[in-house]
Amino acid sequence: MITRLRLKNFKNFADVELKLGPFTVILGTNASGKSNLRDAFRFLHGIGRGYSLSEIIGGKTGGGGQVEWERMRGAMREISRIQAETSDVSFDVTAKISGVNSIYRASIENFDGLFRFINEYFELDGREIFNFHQNVFWDSPAVSTIKDEIGRSFTIKNELKSMRFHEMDSATAKLASPPGQKVLGDRGENLPTVLQAICADPARKETLMEWVRALTPMDVVDFKFRSDLNGFIQLYLVESDGAEISAVSASDGTLRFLALLAALLGPNPAKLYFFEEIESGIHPARLHLLIDMLERQTAKSGIQVVTTTHSPELLSLLSDETLKSTSIVYRPPGRSDAIIKPVLDFPNIDKLRATQGLGRLHAAGWFEDILNATFDEEGDAE
Ligand SMILES: Nc1ncnc2c1ncn2[C@@H]1O[C@H](COP(=O)(O)OP(=O)(O)OP(=O)(O)O)[C@@H](O)[C@H]1O
Ligand SMILES: [Mg+2]
């Protein structure tokens, strides 16, 4: 599990640290930097997959012309913080794997949109495994080539390699999928065949149906999978009165929710999932089931989930454990860079949580007000 991410000079972060847990929640106003954090995880994922820096940032097209890796969001040279004195960027990740800590650091030079590593460092259980410096040009990450026998099963490479990023789109989730596709796409592609694969395993199917019954308003009791004229698999939802409705006619919220379940319960799960605005399309009254599911699944399966949110209701529903890994991204007035502050570090938070509820405080902008009061007009902490 990744326990900590520190970023220097990446996008709008000068020097920040994000604490992670099994379920990590990131709050913050528009343009505070939540999606920039997602981009940082994507960068690290590109490193884990062994792509060169120019591929990670500029995108990679496979032999058949298909997009294998989407380019980083934003302008290439703006990977580095615009107002910073240096354009070097660094990532520092700590993970705890089978009880052993490992640390991976990468510093990258951004020479006006041309990138190379300055340093790559990997430490396992307090021991340095490698520490490469810039005496040769290298733009392909060394960490992606470490053999498992060096770090045994403890390598951080696998944590970086095994990440998925989802922004579910109901129109995409409605589409029929080619038979046999078992990995859900970023926007919910292949939903029918991923659900089909889940349903082929009775234990997984039972878990899936439990959550589906609890969360869908129209009592979905089963799924049917039928080939269309092209041989693609179309999803049908069976309702409690026996009616079968094609996914094309199902509601947007239902599809987005099914896509979330498919991501978390599908075969060959990733180690870390990053969702943008997980509450999107879910009725507030059902949100507690979603949070319950995420907290239980992440606690029991070892899967890590990180999500951004704008939802006060969601914040109110988080368990004590999840609150430990809930943070606010915030840009002090008069400053262009953002800071990250764990929710539990705010004053009197336990008392306020009990008396007012964190959702109410969040909706009223209380977290930002407290932070505004701690920075002066130049943006310095008082
Ligand atoms: N290289 C950079 N240097 C400084 N600031 C940057 C850089 N790149 C992006 N930003 C800042 O990051 C902001 C966008 O942040 P991001 O997309 O993460 O917002 P967000 O918190 O996800 O917001 P929303 O809730 O609207 O999705 C931009 O408005 C810009 O101010
Ligand atoms: Mg965003």
Side-chain angles (χ1 to χ4, degrees):
M1 181 175 93
I2 296 179
T3 53
R4 193 187 76 113
L5 169 68
R6 183 170 177 195
L7 299 171
K8 284 190 193 164
N9 264 338
F10 181 75
K11 296 214 163 186
N12 69 335
F13 300 112
D15 185 354
V16 292
E17 187 176 305
L18 177 71
K19 276 204 281 185
L20 292 107
F23 181 28
T24 304
V25 178
I26 302 166
L27 311 157
T29 57
N30 295 118
S32 53
K34 301 180 299 300
S35 299
N36 292 342
L37 285 174
R38 173 187 189 271
D39 295 339
F41 280 100
R42 262 199 91 223
F43 203 110
L44 287 162
H45 180 45
I47 287 180
R49 284 169 69 158
Y51 294 143
S52 71
L53 293 174
S54 51
E55 286 168 344
I56 293 170
I57 296 160
K60 183 173 165 67
T61 310
Q66 81 287 8
V67 177
E68 189 181 313
W69 172 262
E70 290 222 21
R71 65 189 293 278
M72 280 277 135
R73 209 169 54 105
M76 304 250 297
R77 58 167 71 80
E78 290 173 14
I79 289 294
S80 318
R81 198 165 69 81
I82 297 166
Q83 295 85 350
E85 280 166 17
T86 165
S87 57
D88 298 350
V89 178
S90 83
F91 300 89
D92 180 339
V93 198
T94 307
K96 196 167 194 156
I97 307 158
S98 312
V100 177
N101 272 326
S102 58
I103 297 176
Y104 172 68
R105 283 188 216 122
S107 298
I108 289 152
E109 181 185 71
N110 174 0
F111 186 71
D112 206 22
L114 282 175
F115 302 91
R116 65 168 172 173
F117 284 101
I118 306 168
N119 176 236
E120 250 190 297
Y121 173 88
F122 176 46
E123 175 188 309
L124 186 66
D125 202 13
R127 259 184 323 123
E128 180 182 304
I129 304 290
F130 64 69
N131 191 4
F132 296 129
H133 283 281
Q134 182 197 15
N135 37 19
V136 286
F137 174 89
W138 88 102
D139 71 345
S140 288
V143 71
S144 68
T145 63
I146 49 175
K147 299 269 186 299
D148 279 342
E149 59 263 26
I150 296 179
R152 283 154 295 176
S153 57
F154 306 140
T155 67
I156 206 162
K157 172 185 80 173
N158 297 331
E159 303 289 309
L160 304 184
K161 199 173 171 188
S162 181
M163 295 184 182
R164 293 201 195 126
F165 299 82
H166 289 293
E167 206 166 344
M168 301 305 184
D169 167 45
S170 53
T172 306
K174 275 178 190 181
L175 300 174
S177 53
Q181 297 286 335
K182 292 181 185 163
V183 177
L184 195 76
D186 296 357
R187 307 195 142 264
E189 296 88 343
N190 302 330
L191 177 64
T193 43
V194 176
L195 289 177
Q196 195 174 28
I198 296 172
C199 290
D201 173 339
R204 278 179 194 268
K205 181 173 181 180
E206 199 181 311
T207 312
L208 171 72
M209 293 320 300
E210 258 172 48
W211 290 113
V212 168
R213 275 194 296 271
L215 263 137
T216 55
M218 11 58 99
D219 278 341
V220 174
V221 293
D222 204 358
F223 297 112
K224 286 268 162 67
F225 307 95
R226 299 213 176 89
S227 287
D228 68 10
L229 286 174
N230 296 316
F232 280 46
I233 308 298
Q234 179 66 259
L235 170 68
Y236 289 79
L237 315 179
V238 184
E239 296 185 3
S240 52
D241 60 2
E244 289 179 19
I245 179 148
S246 73
V248 182
S249 308
S251 84
D252 294 340
T254 301
L255 282 160
R256 265 198 292 265
F257 179 66
L258 288 177
L260 275 180
L261 285 175
L264 296 174
L265 302 175
N268 307 320
K271 291 184 189 292
L272 184 145
Y273 290 83
F274 199 113
F275 297 110
E276 284 273 19
E277 291 170 29
I278 205 158
E279 73 278 5
S280 163
I282 310 271
H283 190 278
R286 288 184 186 260
L287 203 54
H288 73 279
L289 287 163
L290 179 71
I291 298 305
D292 193 23
M293 181 204 49
L294 288 164
E295 289 182 338
R296 282 209 248 162
Q297 278 302 118
T298 51
K300 113 172 164 207
S301 63
I303 288 176
Q304 215 172 348
V305 170
V306 185
T307 186
T308 66
T309 183
H310 282 297
S311 163
E313 287 88 5
L314 186 146
L315 184 59
S316 293
L317 295 166
L318 300 178
S319 67
D320 291 354
E321 192 55 33
T322 307
L323 277 178
K324 291 182 192 159
S325 46
T326 300
S327 297
I328 312 258
V329 185
Y330 164 80
R331 262 163 73 167
R335 257 168 70 170
S336 59
D337 68 315
I339 60 162
I340 300 178
K341 190 168 164 104
V343 161
L344 291 183
D345 287 357
F346 280 79
N348 302 321
I349 199 75
D350 287 334
K351 194 167 157 216
L352 286 165
R353 185 180 173 211
T355 53
Q356 311 243 351
L358 295 186
R360 258 183 74 187
L361 295 174
H362 179 38
W366 179 82
F367 291 103
E368 281 81 9
D369 288 346
I370 293 282
L371 287 166
N372 285 340
T374 55
F375 290 91
D376 64 19
E377 276 172 17
E378 274 77 51
D380 298 320
E382 284 178 345

